[in-house]
Amino acid sequence: MAETGTWAVKVGLAQMLKGGVIMDVVTPEHAKIAEEAGACAVMALERVPSDIRRDGGVARMSDPQMIQEIMEAVTIPVMAKARIGHFVEADVLEAIGIDYIDESEVLTPADETHHIDKHQFRVPFVCGCRNLGEALRRIGEGAAMIRTKGEAGTGDIVEAVRHMRSVMGDVRRLQNMPDAELYAFAKEIQAPLSLVKQVKAEGRLPVVNFAAGGVATPADAALMMRLGADGVFVGSGIFKSENPPLVAKAIVEATTHYQDAEVIARVSAGLGKAMPGIHVASLPEKELLATRGW
Amino acid sequence: MTLNGTRAVTVGILALQGDFREHREMLERMGHRAVEVRKPSQLEALDALVIPGGESTTIARLILSNGFQGPLRAFCATGRPVWGTCAGAILLAKEVDRLDRPGIEVMEISVHRNAFGRQVESFEADVEVRGLEGGPFRAVFIRAPRIDAVRPPAEVVATLADGTIVAARQGNMLATSFHPELTGDSRLHAYFLGLAEAPAGIRH
């Protein structure tokens, strides 16, 4: 008997993306540039995060027609974003055959209490996190892939680093924790006890964990891999740079050879201007995206 | 020695992109040494090589940009076991639809990418693998390719219930459109390590 939509096939696609770069694209032409550069998947959306940040207002799921045009333009997997808690946007994305849904804080949340019940879908979901508790809550709701939230659209890597160090640090702490203390730890980080036990036993998250939010250079991508990321999302960092095809290829090579400084040096040379950045510490609290969701 | 008493060997996993860690962990659990390969110079020391699942367009690009194409073809010709899973199978095939750059192109098979549809059509199913003891193999297919044609000296190794070809062998080379590394079943990894044969011209 063939079975679709199983946990193994949802988690399995994320396994295939590992060691790769998932790039934000807003047109079929961008998608082709990303595929040519070696992206392992693309995220189809109407505006990259830095433009969403600049424009303000309510950010929603992209036009399905625009997403479908991108799906037709490339053979690599295509992801798209739904608002936090907006399960009908997720229904729509599943109906058009999207490969992965990002329930994303980059869009304006639709529900302040409940995230999407992701177990109800055949299509897999990726969700953002700032720490281990948030990661395990999302996995408990059915997320088959996790990424750091970082601070999207800033080109400042500091928040992604903070979130990755927090997740990996708590995983390491858990490995040395006596079983008797797991109950209080699960309560402290507000995570399902069964998943806390699983993380202790396996020494890592039960699903693939990518870095996202602020990656702008090949060295940024390699830094996140060195900190334990399984791969990277790059949003505004490619198509807001001076030379997108070159930057895209360089970030792909740096992600593969993240332990090889000679390769990173070679691909970082002569890339032109990176995306203009925003120092996260200079942003007022109400403009932070990472604090959306719980 | 490994857990089941065979000789421990050194197996490389091409680690340009994809699920190389799952192959490494499976081989290590079996008692073998596993090495992540990111430079062509690492190939020489290996007894066998796995080309993992991942995104075939990405891996194909990285094979070319990292100077792997010639060294991988040469490795396949030495008679040491080589196994491509999913994306790896696509790269081993001589004929592939919709892949805009050459892979390794050493097996006499035709492969159709994403033949079962997009991710929502990804599935698990039992497959019958010829010569594999212990019953059907529970196989995981992720946006999987299908093997449309197998020409001699390549031969069919596994099919779905409807006859769709999902694994083929050509001498020391094996191609599977599914992912044994994502399951707890190590039978196909053991089968693969048994495929060594003397290179053409120096057979005993």
Side-chain angles (χ1 to χ4, degrees):
Chain A
M1 261 294 284
E3 288 181 273
T4 58
T6 63
W7 184 244
V9 302
K10 287 177 173 179
V11 173
L13 178 56
Q15 301 283 11
M16 298 313 137
L17 302 174
K18 280 192 309 191
V21 182
I22 301 168
M23 302 182 190
D24 278 4
V25 297
V26 300
T27 63
E29 291 69 40
H30 278 186
K32 284 181 182 151
I33 290 170
E35 184 176 50
E36 175 61 30
C40 65
V42 291
M43 177 77 70
L45 69 179
E46 280 169 351
R47 291 175 292 172
V48 295
S50 64
D51 288 342
I52 291 174
R53 188 177 283 288
R54 186 199 59 206
D55 296 349
V58 176
R60 309 179 180 91
M61 177 187 77
S62 300
D63 182 337
Q65 184 185 329
M66 170 264 167
I67 296 170
Q68 282 174 301
E69 284 167 8
I70 287 174
M71 289 164 62
E72 283 159 20
V74 293
T75 63
I76 57 180
V78 179
M79 301 183 166
K81 292 182 192 293
R83 282 179 268 179
I84 290 173
H86 205 315
F87 52 86
V88 174
E89 284 186 349
D91 279 340
V92 169
L93 293 172
E94 182 172 70
I96 64 171
I98 203 79
D99 294 304
Y100 237 95
I101 295 175
D102 183 8
E103 187 184 16
S104 177
E105 71 283 0
V106 169
L107 304 184
T108 311
D111 191 321
E112 293 183 333
T113 311
H114 302 287
H115 283 250
I116 297 170
D117 178 3
K118 294 167 276 287
H119 289 295
Q120 305 308 317
F121 290 78
R122 276 203 301 160
V123 63
F125 283 75
V126 55
C127 288
C129 75
R130 287 161 295 176
N131 50 54
L132 181 62
E134 195 171 16
L136 296 183
R137 287 194 292 279
R138 296 294 86 78
I139 295 165
E141 296 157 1
M145 178 178 183
I146 287 293
R147 57 172 174 77
T148 60
K149 284 182 168 174
E151 191 56 37
T154 61
D156 188 345
I157 197 69
V158 67
E159 293 300 308
V161 168
R162 186 197 317 279
H163 300 159
M164 188 58 74
R165 281 206 186 271
S166 174
V167 171
M168 303 309 278
D170 271 352
V171 170
R172 284 189 290 267
R173 197 149 69 95
L174 199 46
Q175 282 176 276
N176 293 319
M177 199 173 284
D179 286 349
E181 294 178 8
L182 297 182
Y183 307 94
F185 183 74
K187 182 183 161 203
E188 177 197 325
I189 68 167
Q190 298 183 286
L193 178 63
S194 60
L195 291 175
V196 169
K197 286 181 171 171
Q198 191 180 342
V199 170
K200 183 189 170 185
E202 295 174 3
R204 61 173 173 238
L205 288 183
V207 302
V208 167
N209 180 22
F210 269 47
V215 176
T217 68
D220 285 348
L223 172 67
M224 296 313 299
M225 295 297 287
R226 289 277 289 270
L227 290 174
D230 291 315
V232 292
F233 283 88
V234 187
S236 322
I238 290 170
F239 289 99
K240 288 294 174 185
S241 71
E242 199 172 64
N243 192 338
L246 204 57
V247 170
K249 278 181 193 162
I251 292 178
V252 169
E253 292 286 344
T255 302
T256 292
H257 298 288
Y258 66 95
Q259 293 159 308
D260 190 334
E262 282 177 25
V263 173
I264 301 167
R266 177 163 53 74
V267 301
S268 299
L271 290 182
K273 282 204 185 81
M275 70 177 281
I278 304 170
H279 182 27
V280 172
S282 71
L283 285 171
E285 191 141 346
K286 66 179 174 45
E287 289 184 20
L288 295 177
L289 302 178
T291 52
R292 295 169 166 181
W294 63 281
Chain B
M1 295 290 272
T2 65
L3 293 177
N4 62 4
T6 55
R7 186 174 68 92
V9 294
T10 301
V11 187
I13 305 116
L14 191 66
L16 297 174
Q17 192 269 323
D19 71 334
F20 43 85
R21 184 180 73 196
E22 281 58 40
H23 277 290
R24 173 165 59 73
E25 290 175 351
M26 175 77 87
L27 290 159
E28 285 171 350
R29 276 199 299 275
M30 295 165 71
H32 297 290
R33 287 180 296 274
V35 181
E36 292 182 0
V37 175
R38 293 186 174 83
K39 290 181 175 175
S41 59
Q42 292 173 275
L43 291 171
E44 185 52 41
L46 306 175
D47 296 308
L49 178 71
V50 175
I51 302 163
E55 187 44 51
S56 53
T57 54
T58 302
I59 301 176
R61 199 193 88 70
L62 289 166
I63 282 176
L64 294 178
S65 68
N66 287 277
F68 263 108
Q69 193 186 46
L72 286 172
R73 284 179 178 161
F75 188 93
C76 291
T78 61
R80 288 176 272 184
V82 177
W83 180 14
T85 56
C86 194
I90 293 168
L91 294 164
L92 289 173
K94 279 201 175 169
E95 267 185 31
V96 184
D97 75 306
R98 296 197 305 158
L99 185 67
D100 60 356
R101 46 175 62 78
I104 308 164
E105 301 175 318
V106 285
M107 287 183 74
E108 293 292 343
I109 56 175
S110 302
V111 171
H112 189 105
R113 292 177 67 214
N114 302 340
F116 299 94
R118 302 195 72 95
Q119 171 60 15
V120 288
E121 307 301 331
S122 290
F123 63 101
E124 296 178 45
D126 289 335
V127 298
E128 290 291 342
V129 182
R130 288 179 197 172
L132 199 68
E133 290 179 3
F137 195 94
R138 188 67 178 172
V140 180
F141 295 83
I142 312 282
R143 285 171 46 96
R146 182 179 69 209
I147 301 174
D148 280 342
V150 173
R151 295 173 293 274
E155 55 194 322
V156 175
V157 169
T159 52
L160 289 173
D162 66 0
T164 304
I165 304 169
V166 292
R169 178 193 167 178
Q170 180 178 322
N172 57 313
M173 296 178 283
L174 177 66
T176 59
S177 60
F178 52 97
H179 296 280
E181 73 280 11
L182 294 184
T183 66
D185 191 339
S186 62
R187 285 180 295 158
L188 264 169
H189 283 78
Y191 172 93
F192 147 67
L193 291 174
L195 294 182
E197 61 171 38
I202 46 170
R203 286 175 197 279
H204 300 292

